[in-house]
Amino acid sequence: EVQLVESGGGLVQPGGSLRLSCAASGFTFDNSAMSWVRQAPGMGLEWVSTITDSGGSTYYADSVKGRFTISRDSSKNTLYLQMNSLRAEDTAVYYCAKLLNYWGQGTLVTVSS
Amino acid sequence: DIQMTQSPSSLSASVGDRVTITCRASQGISNYLAWFQQKPGKAPKSLIFAASSLQSGVSSKFSGSGSGTDFTLTISSLQPDDFATYYCLYYKSYPFTFGQGTRLEIK
């Protein structure tokens, strides 16, 4: 059974940092490009970032470029999203996904003072 | 960057109806188009990739078509479980872009 389990969300003050994790199982993580997608409350889906299967290339939405860093640890089958300089507009549910196949249930990040 | 314009933004239909949702790309994207279904409080579910290929395990009542700039998702014989929000996704090159979503409601 495929599972993507996100963790690390929570309440953080503007300007703060948070690291999200996504534990993957049930498929070949090493061969899979992985992504983060977010959804602000009551809004649509927004692609945030993708990392290639090797980890050699990373891509970001303009809205997070320079503040967020995606990474992966194949020895742990885990995807990460380091989020720095957080803003109120980063408040959203963050989904980990093998985009065209599997999605996690999401973790809520709230940026507020 | 590619913009994806999805229409309509909301749609009311009855059980048993057939509905069509459209996604238009701001420039040609070949067939790099996927469709997702999302129910309230749940993660999106992949329905279709490569514009018209059905994901494994997805009902054949869902079908996709199109290439270039214009794409459609058709859902036949609507059942109560099909009432949800649907999104298209462009994924040929970065940045990937989702459509704004279509909320399908029961009439």
Side-chain angles (χ1 to χ4, degrees), chain A residues 91-108:
Chain A
T91 294
V93 173
Y94 284 74
Y95 295 102
C96 158
K98 183 180 177 183
L99 212 49
L100 301 184
N101 302 95
Y102 319 121
W103 292 60
Q105 286 307 300
T107 187
L108 176 62

mmCIF file of all heavy atoms in Angstrom, chain A residues 91-108:
data_model
loop_
_atom_site.group_PDB
_atom_site.id
_atom_site.type_symbol
_atom_site.label_atom_id
_atom_site.label_comp_id
_atom_site.label_asym_id
_atom_site.label_seq_id
_atom_site.Cartn_x
_atom_site.Cartn_y
_atom_site.Cartn_z
ATOM 1 N N THR A 91 0.309 30.540 4.685
ATOM 2 C CA THR A 91 -0.643 29.721 5.432
ATOM 3 C C THR A 91 -1.427 28.825 4.473
ATOM 4 O O THR A 91 -2.065 29.318 3.532
ATOM 5 C CB THR A 91 -1.623 30.600 6.223
ATOM 6 O OG1 THR A 91 -0.898 31.298 7.244
ATOM 7 C CG2 THR A 91 -2.733 29.772 6.861
ATOM 8 N N ALA A 92 -1.346 27.531 4.697
ATOM 9 C CA ALA A 92 -1.966 26.580 3.771
ATOM 10 C C ALA A 92 -1.816 25.156 4.297
ATOM 11 O O ALA A 92 -1.027 24.907 5.217
ATOM 12 C CB ALA A 92 -1.305 26.667 2.400
ATOM 13 N N VAL A 93 -2.556 24.248 3.703
ATOM 14 C CA VAL A 93 -2.281 22.825 3.851
ATOM 15 C C VAL A 93 -1.228 22.481 2.798
ATOM 16 O O VAL A 93 -1.388 22.831 1.617
ATOM 17 C CB VAL A 93 -3.535 21.974 3.639
ATOM 18 C CG1 VAL A 93 -3.189 20.490 3.629
ATOM 19 C CG2 VAL A 93 -4.566 22.276 4.726
ATOM 20 N N TYR A 94 -0.166 21.822 3.227
ATOM 21 C CA TYR A 94 0.926 21.437 2.331
ATOM 22 C C TYR A 94 0.842 19.940 2.081
ATOM 23 O O TYR A 94 0.853 19.138 3.019
ATOM 24 C CB TYR A 94 2.273 21.816 2.943
ATOM 25 C CG TYR A 94 2.547 23.298 2.843
ATOM 26 C CD1 TYR A 94 1.878 24.198 3.665
ATOM 27 C CD2 TYR A 94 3.452 23.810 1.912
ATOM 28 C CE1 TYR A 94 2.100 25.568 3.573
ATOM 29 C CE2 TYR A 94 3.690 25.174 1.806
ATOM 30 C CZ TYR A 94 3.007 26.037 2.636
ATOM 31 O OH TYR A 94 3.231 27.394 2.530
ATOM 32 N N TYR A 95 0.748 19.592 0.805
ATOM 33 C CA TYR A 95 0.684 18.196 0.393
ATOM 34 C C TYR A 95 2.002 17.767 -0.225
ATOM 35 O O TYR A 95 2.589 18.488 -1.045
ATOM 36 C CB TYR A 95 -0.407 17.993 -0.660
ATOM 37 C CG TYR A 95 -1.821 18.229 -0.199
ATOM 38 C CD1 TYR A 95 -2.491 19.402 -0.520
ATOM 39 C CD2 TYR A 95 -2.511 17.267 0.533
ATOM 40 C CE1 TYR A 95 -3.807 19.613 -0.120
ATOM 41 C CE2 TYR A 95 -3.822 17.467 0.938
ATOM 42 C CZ TYR A 95 -4.451 18.656 0.606
ATOM 43 O OH TYR A 95 -5.757 18.851 1.003
ATOM 44 N N CYS A 96 2.419 16.592 0.140
ATOM 45 C CA CYS A 96 3.537 15.904 -0.498
ATOM 46 C C CYS A 96 2.940 15.006 -1.576
ATOM 47 O O CYS A 96 1.897 14.367 -1.336
ATOM 48 C CB CYS A 96 4.256 15.100 0.577
ATOM 49 S SG CYS A 96 5.266 13.724 0.050
ATOM 50 N N ALA A 97 3.562 14.940 -2.742
ATOM 51 C CA ALA A 97 2.950 14.157 -3.817
ATOM 52 C C ALA A 97 3.966 13.623 -4.809
ATOM 53 O O ALA A 97 4.957 14.299 -5.123
ATOM 54 C CB ALA A 97 1.929 15.011 -4.561
ATOM 55 N N LYS A 98 3.712 12.429 -5.270
ATOM 56 C CA LYS A 98 4.243 11.988 -6.554
ATOM 57 C C LYS A 98 3.142 12.410 -7.500
ATOM 58 O O LYS A 98 2.144 11.714 -7.670
ATOM 59 C CB LYS A 98 4.491 10.492 -6.580
ATOM 60 C CG LYS A 98 5.108 10.046 -7.902
ATOM 61 C CD LYS A 98 5.365 8.556 -7.980
ATOM 62 C CE LYS A 98 5.912 8.214 -9.365
ATOM 63 N NZ LYS A 98 6.129 6.781 -9.555
ATOM 64 N N LEU A 99 3.311 13.525 -8.102
ATOM 65 C CA LEU A 99 2.232 14.382 -8.565
ATOM 66 C C LEU A 99 1.121 13.697 -9.355
ATOM 67 O O LEU A 99 -0.065 13.943 -9.099
ATOM 68 C CB LEU A 99 2.838 15.515 -9.398
ATOM 69 C CG LEU A 99 2.145 16.856 -9.372
ATOM 70 C CD1 LEU A 99 1.841 17.318 -7.965
ATOM 71 C CD2 LEU A 99 3.009 17.881 -10.067
ATOM 72 N N LEU A 100 1.468 12.854 -10.272
ATOM 73 C CA LEU A 100 0.445 12.264 -11.123
ATOM 74 C C LEU A 100 -0.103 10.963 -10.547
ATOM 75 O O LEU A 100 -0.974 10.344 -11.158
ATOM 76 C CB LEU A 100 0.997 12.009 -12.530
ATOM 77 C CG LEU A 100 1.508 13.233 -13.273
ATOM 78 C CD1 LEU A 100 1.940 12.843 -14.675
ATOM 79 C CD2 LEU A 100 0.467 14.336 -13.328
ATOM 80 N N ASN A 101 0.377 10.577 -9.375
ATOM 81 C CA ASN A 101 -0.005 9.279 -8.835
ATOM 82 C C ASN A 101 -0.533 9.331 -7.402
ATOM 83 O O ASN A 101 -1.678 8.986 -7.148
ATOM 84 C CB ASN A 101 1.178 8.319 -8.887
ATOM 85 C CG ASN A 101 1.707 8.126 -10.285
ATOM 86 O OD1 ASN A 101 2.655 8.794 -10.683
ATOM 87 N ND2 ASN A 101 1.100 7.246 -11.042
ATOM 88 N N TYR A 102 0.329 9.736 -6.472
ATOM 89 C CA TYR A 102 0.009 9.596 -5.055
ATOM 90 C C TYR A 102 0.154 10.924 -4.316
ATOM 91 O O TYR A 102 1.091 11.689 -4.578
ATOM 92 C CB TYR A 102 0.945 8.576 -4.389
ATOM 93 C CG TYR A 102 1.231 7.340 -5.203
ATOM 94 C CD1 TYR A 102 2.538 7.015 -5.559
ATOM 95 C CD2 TYR A 102 0.204 6.499 -5.616
ATOM 96 C CE1 TYR A 102 2.815 5.890 -6.297
ATOM 97 C CE2 TYR A 102 0.484 5.363 -6.360
ATOM 98 C CZ TYR A 102 1.791 5.064 -6.702
ATOM 99 O OH TYR A 102 2.068 3.947 -7.436
ATOM 100 N N TRP A 103 -0.740 11.142 -3.380
ATOM 101 C CA TRP A 103 -0.712 12.345 -2.545
ATOM 102 C C TRP A 103 -0.844 11.957 -1.079
ATOM 103 O O TRP A 103 -1.570 11.016 -0.739
ATOM 104 C CB TRP A 103 -1.883 13.271 -2.902
ATOM 105 C CG TRP A 103 -1.789 13.905 -4.259
ATOM 106 C CD1 TRP A 103 -1.720 13.266 -5.465
ATOM 107 C CD2 TRP A 103 -1.789 15.293 -4.552
ATOM 108 N NE1 TRP A 103 -1.671 14.181 -6.492
ATOM 109 C CE2 TRP A 103 -1.714 15.436 -5.956
ATOM 110 C CE3 TRP A 103 -1.855 16.457 -3.769
ATOM 111 C CZ2 TRP A 103 -1.689 16.685 -6.594
ATOM 112 C CZ3 TRP A 103 -1.835 17.690 -4.398
ATOM 113 C CH2 TRP A 103 -1.756 17.796 -5.783
ATOM 114 N N GLY A 104 -0.165 12.715 -0.225
ATOM 115 C CA GLY A 104 -0.374 12.558 1.206
ATOM 116 C C GLY A 104 -1.637 13.285 1.636
ATOM 117 O O GLY A 104 -2.306 13.924 0.814
ATOM 118 N N GLN A 105 -1.958 13.184 2.910
ATOM 119 C CA GLN A 105 -3.162 13.815 3.441
ATOM 120 C C GLN A 105 -2.952 15.273 3.806
ATOM 121 O O GLN A 105 -3.919 15.989 4.079
ATOM 122 C CB GLN A 105 -3.671 13.037 4.652
ATOM 123 C CG GLN A 105 -4.327 11.722 4.255
ATOM 124 C CD GLN A 105 -5.416 11.931 3.216
ATOM 125 O OE1 GLN A 105 -6.397 12.634 3.422
ATOM 126 N NE2 GLN A 105 -5.240 11.318 2.038
ATOM 127 N N GLY A 106 -1.721 15.724 3.809
ATOM 128 C CA GLY A 106 -1.449 17.136 4.031
ATOM 129 C C GLY A 106 -1.145 17.479 5.479
ATOM 130 O O GLY A 106 -1.550 16.773 6.407
ATOM 131 N N THR A 107 -0.407 18.579 5.638
ATOM 132 C CA THR A 107 -0.116 19.108 6.961
ATOM 133 C C THR A 107 -0.355 20.616 6.933
ATOM 134 O O THR A 107 0.031 21.288 5.975
ATOM 135 C CB THR A 107 1.320 18.767 7.404
ATOM 136 O OG1 THR A 107 1.514 19.167 8.764
ATOM 137 C CG2 THR A 107 2.376 19.427 6.534
ATOM 138 N N LEU A 108 -1.006 21.128 7.960
ATOM 139 C CA LEU A 108 -1.403 22.529 7.985
ATOM 140 C C LEU A 108 -0.292 23.400 8.555
ATOM 141 O O LEU A 108 0.228 23.128 9.644
ATOM 142 C CB LEU A 108 -2.674 22.699 8.821
ATOM 143 C CG LEU A 108 -3.174 24.131 9.025
ATOM 144 C CD1 LEU A 108 -3.550 24.778 7.691
ATOM 145 C CD2 LEU A 108 -4.368 24.145 9.989
#
